[in-house]
Amino acid sequence: MEFLFLLFLGKPLWMWLVFLTIVVTLMVFDLGVLNKDNHEIGVAESLKLSAFYIMIAIAYGGYIWWSWSNGTLVTSDGTNPVASYFQGYLIEKVLSIDNVFVISLIFTFFAIPRKYQYRALVWGIIGVIVLRGIMIAIGAELIENYKWMTLVFAAFLIFTGIRMLMATESETDVSKNPMVGLVSRFMNVTKELHGQKFFVRQPHPVTNRMTLFATPLFVALIVINFADVIFAVDSVPAIFLITTDTFIVYTANIMAILGLRALYFALAALVHRFHYLHYALAIVLVFIGLKGFYSYFFGKFDPYLSLGITFAIIAAGIFYSLWKTRGDGDGHAKAEVKSAE
């Protein structure tokens, strides 16, 4: 059993295995229990599932605190893992709200019925686990070998935050997504859905031979994963400026994303109510970027103060959004639900 104590990315292998076991168990639970009959998930069920995943994330944060307090978990950069984990989780969770809007447009573009959307999201998270792992490993390697990369990340976040504050609203055109054309160019794609299947065999229209075809559900899955990579360009540098410990970065990211598919069905109908949260998130990105410069030149910023400021900005964005859109709930919600069906 000595191999369990071998170091992998700065942490004993058993720590990674415990976390991945939790993730795999939740994936099996999703696919084998929650989604076994491909039923439509309503807002009430979505909120219950979201609460469940949030409790799992909080419980895992408690495990990090316990491991840190007894000396089992020591971060590679000496940061407070508890504050870093929750701050990273909070930022990723809020970024997911923007992601929900894009996912909703993707499902609408491909005319994916609600009863198949959850399945696509579950398989999507499996892809995200791998893709985020690759991006985080690259980020960790860059910072390990080039300390000045933290300044690059900080400048990028400040630029992104300012751009978000100044950007005008524009409709996302899914048809122009490069992955749509790429998949269609290299794969045969059916024009219609085939239930919950990602691939089907059917006669080719030219050769009449039985050929493997991808379905629109698979193309939607690919586009969703591509969209997540774009969103990760913001979230991964943000959490690396909070902590450079790869284990905390990865676990905070994945714990936030795990609950996204459950929260999607509630947020898809209500995402317009969080309009001003976009600006709060932009301010958070600027704050994290400025904190990155401060930490590089003057030393560590108080982790609990950083967590408190982040929470306060996001909470203000949520409450202000709900207050400003308090009369818009029913009409938009009905319209969104109808378009998703």
Side-chain angles (χ1 to χ4, degrees):
M1 301 296 286
E2 292 182 2
F3 77 97
L4 292 176
F5 294 91
L6 295 175
L7 293 182
F8 177 71
L9 296 177
K11 295 293 179 292
L13 187 59
W14 68 264
M15 278 192 176
W16 292 99
L17 292 176
V18 167
F19 178 72
L20 292 177
T21 299
I22 294 172
V23 173
V24 170
T25 301
L26 290 172
M27 292 293 96
V28 172
F29 175 69
D30 260 332
L31 287 171
V33 178
L34 298 180
N35 195 241
K36 64 179 179 181
D37 56 355
N38 288 315
H39 70 287
E40 294 187 18
I41 294 180
V43 173
E45 184 179 356
S46 174
L47 292 174
K48 290 178 182 177
L49 285 173
S50 298
F52 168 75
Y53 278 103
I54 290 172
M55 291 304 297
I56 292 290
I58 292 174
Y60 193 79
Y63 163 74
I64 289 177
W65 173 82
W66 176 80
S67 299
W68 179 56
S69 63
N70 65 24
T72 304
L73 174 62
V74 179
T75 55
S76 58
D77 57 357
T79 55
N80 182 319
V82 182
S84 299
Y85 168 81
F86 281 111
Q87 190 174 5
Y89 173 83
L90 187 61
I91 292 172
E92 182 61 46
K93 202 72 173 175
V94 176
L95 278 168
S96 296
I97 295 178
D98 268 351
N99 209 354
V100 162
F101 175 70
V102 175
I103 292 172
S104 178
L105 289 177
I106 293 170
F107 281 144
T108 300
F109 176 80
F110 289 103
I112 307 298
R114 288 174 63 85
K115 64 180 179 179
Y116 300 138
Q117 290 177 9
Y118 194 81
R119 177 180 174 82
L121 289 172
V122 172
W123 282 103
I125 192 62
I126 295 174
V128 168
I129 291 171
V130 177
L131 292 173
R132 286 294 174 96
I134 294 172
M135 295 185 72
I136 289 170
I138 293 172
E141 188 68 17
L142 287 173
I143 291 177
E144 177 67 24
N145 292 288
Y146 310 100
K147 299 298 183 184
W148 51 265
M149 280 301 298
T150 58
L151 297 179
V152 175
F153 285 173
F156 174 74
L157 286 184
I158 293 172
F159 169 78
T160 301
I162 294 174
R163 187 184 62 181
M164 288 172 64
L165 286 171
M166 301 177 64
T168 56
E169 292 187 15
S170 60
E171 187 73 16
T172 301
D173 189 350
V174 179
S175 64
K176 295 181 180 179
N177 188 294
M179 295 307 296
V180 175
L182 193 64
V183 174
S184 300
R185 180 179 300 178
F186 292 99
M187 299 183 69
N188 297 307
V189 181
T190 64
K191 294 182 178 180
E192 66 286 332
L193 287 169
H194 289 262
Q196 62 177 346
K197 295 179 179 179
F198 292 122
F199 297 96
V200 293
R201 284 192 173 276
Q202 62 182 35
H204 194 279
V206 177
T207 64
N208 205 35
R209 292 181 178 178
M210 294 300 293
T211 307
L212 186 66
F213 280 76
T215 68
L217 186 63
F218 176 76
V219 182
L221 174 64
I222 296 298
V223 176
I224 287 171
N225 274 279
F226 179 75
D228 179 78
V229 171
I230 301 302
F231 277 95
V233 172
D234 291 337
S235 65
V236 171
I239 194 170
F240 266 119
L241 290 180
I242 297 169
T243 177
T244 57
D245 188 276
T246 310
F247 183 77
I248 300 299
V249 171
Y250 187 69
T251 53
N253 254 262
I254 299 305
M255 276 296 178
I257 295 170
L258 279 175
L260 171 61
R261 62 203 182 286
L263 190 59
Y264 167 79
F265 294 95
L267 286 182
L270 300 172
V271 71
H272 68 284
R273 296 290 310 275
F274 297 95
H275 172 73
Y276 295 96
L277 184 57
H278 178 81
Y279 299 105
L281 178 58
I283 295 172
V284 167
L285 292 181
V286 172
F287 165 67
I288 297 297
L290 292 173
K291 186 173 73 72
F293 277 104
Y294 178 90
S295 299
Y296 187 87
F297 291 109
F298 303 108
K300 291 183 175 63
F301 194 88
D302 183 88
Y304 288 114
L305 177 60
S306 179
L307 175 61
I309 292 174
T310 302
F311 180 82
I313 295 172
I314 291 173
I318 292 174
F319 287 118
Y320 185 72
S321 294
L322 294 175
W323 179 70
K324 288 289 288 185
T325 60
R326 58 192 181 279
D328 302 340
D330 295 337
H332 270 288
K334 291 177 180 177
E336 290 288 340
V337 171
K338 186 176 180 179
S339 67
E341 292 176 345

